[in-house]
Amino acid sequence: MNTKNFMDKNYLHIIRSGINSTFQDSGRKNLNHIGIPISGAMDNRNFLLANKIAGNEINMQVIEFAYQGPLLKYFGEKISAVITGDVNFKIKKNQNHIKGECYNCFTLESGDELDILSTNKSVYGYLAISGEFDLEYQWRSCSTNTKAIIGANKGKRLKTNQKINISRINKDLSNLKLNYINTKIEQIRVIKGTNFDYFSDQGKKNFFEKSFKVSKLSDRMGMRLEGLTIENIKDPNITSEGLMKGVVQVPPDGNPIIMLSDHGTIGGYPKIGVIISADYDKLVQIPSGSKIKFSNIELKDAETLFKLYEMETQNLISQIK
Amino acid sequence: MIKNISNLGDAGLYCDFGKEVNKDTNSMVIKYFKSLQKTKIDGINNLTPSYNKLIISFDLNKTDYKSLKNKIENVEIDLFENLSKEKIKIPVCCEENFSLDIKRLSEKLKLDREKIYENFFNNEYFCYMTGFIAGMPFLGDLDEKIRLKRLETPRVKVPKGSIGITEQFTNIYSSESPGGWNIIGNTPFNIFDSSKENKPNLISPGDTVVFERITIDEYKKLYG
C-alpha cells in the first residue's frame, strides 16, 4: 500500500467538539431486524465528494458535524484534508488565519488549527483527511449511532479535549479541488405512503400544498415538522411495522415526522408518504426553523430523478482536478 | 404467503402477509425473512420483519422496485423449515421502584396487583419481532384479563431492563428509551450486547420467553 504508518504520532486534539460531531461512513446494512438502523453520513453526495477530493476510497470514515463543527489542533506529519458542504471555516497557521474554501484540499502541519465555525443555511458538513483515522468498527462500519451507542468513539459524539489518532496518511498529499456550489431547495418530492387513505381530504391537501417548519427537535433520527396538522380519519395507529429512512409518519397530534438515517426500525404511526431518494441529501440539509414544502410524484418519475441525481454525482466526481 | 407487494417510496418493498396478528402469519413472515437472508439478493440494504409485514429496502443504484418484486415473488421459500424454538427464561423483579404502572393497571383493570403478576408470570410468550430500539423483543400474547392500552402520555425515559405491557403484547426495554408501555417490572439481564456481533440480541423472533419472578436481593446478585 501507498501509505506510511505513524500510529499515535499523528493526531487531532479537539479543543471544541461542536454541536453534533460524529464519525460516519456509508453505514451498516442488514441489521434492521435486530433494531439497528442503517446510519451513515446523512448527506451522501457530500460524503462521497469529501473522500474523492481527499484521494480516499469512497467509503472512508469522515467527521460529520451539524451547524457548528469542531475546533481541532493537528499534531504530526504534513497531511491534506478537505471540507465539503456549505461551511464557514478557518485554518490557523501560526499567526495567520486563512479562510477555508469548501471542496478544496488544504494542508495541515503540526501545530495548525482548524476551526469549523458554522454551516451556512444548511445543517451538515464533512471533514475528510487524506488517510485514515484509528477507529473501532462494529458490523464493519465505524458510523457512530449515539442512540444505540454503537460505532466509533464508543458510540458517542466527539468530546472536547479528546484525541483522535490517525493510523495512516496517504503518501501523496492530495491537492484536488472541485468547483461546486451546493444548491438549496425547500421543495421536496414525495411518493404517497402505504396509509395515504388514513387522512382527510383537507389533511392530504395541507400536506401537499402548505409549507411546514422544520422543528428544533430534529436530529439524525428524525425531522419533526410544524404547521397545519394532518387530520387522521381512520386510525391514529397501525399495527407496528418496519420503517426506512425517508418515511413520513403522522402521529396522533397530526405533525409529520420524517425518518432519517438513525431512525427507530419499527413504528406504529400511519405513513403518509416517503421522500424520494434523489431528494434525501437536500432534505437533511434544511435547517431547523426553515420552511419545507412537499410535492407529490409517481414512482416512475422518482426513479428517473434518481438516475439524474446519480449522473450529476458522477459528473461532479469527474470534475475533481 | 405474501398477500400483496407494493412500493414503499422508490427504494422499498412493502410485503403484506394479511391483517391478522397471530403466530401463523408471523411464522410465515419469519420464514420469508430467513430464506431471503440466505438468498442474498444483490442490492438489498435491509429486511425488516414485523408481526404481519416484511419491509425490504434496497439500493436504487443496484436494482429497482419492479425487478426486485419479481425476484421476491419467485424466490424459493423453505416453508418446512423449523423455526428456532429456544425457550428463554428472563428473571423479573417487581419491586415498587421497578413496577412503575402497577397502580394504574390495578385500577384500570379492576384487578388486585398480585392477580396481575400471577397472570403475567403464568404464561409463555412468543417473540414476534425485535426492533424499534436495538434488541427490543415484541412478545405475545398476554391473557385477555390484563390487556390495557398505552399510557396517554408516553414517558420521555423508560429505564433499561423495564418490562412493559400493552394490549396483547409485552416487551423488554433493551436500553433506556422513550416509550408508552405500562411498566410492571425490571430484568437484570442484558437483552442487547453490541460486543457480540454474531448474536447481540438475547431473544430472536420465533423464540419463547418465560418470565420468572425474583426478589430484589436476587436482582442485585444477577445484575452485572
Side-chain angles (χ1 to χ4, degrees), chain A residues 4-10 134 165-168:
Chain A
K4 295 183 211 173
N5 273 300
F6 287 107
M7 192 73 121
D8 289 353
K9 282 186 186 155
N10 304 300
D134 179 24
N165 289 323
I166 292 165
S167 58
R168 179 171 64 81

Side-chain angles (χ1 to χ4, degrees), chain B residues 30-41:
Chain B
I30 298 169
K31 281 175 186 171
Y32 262 83
F33 163 68
K34 293 207 163 165
S35 295
L36 288 172
Q37 229 180 1
K38 272 184 219 149
T39 316
K40 291 203 166 84
I41 299 172

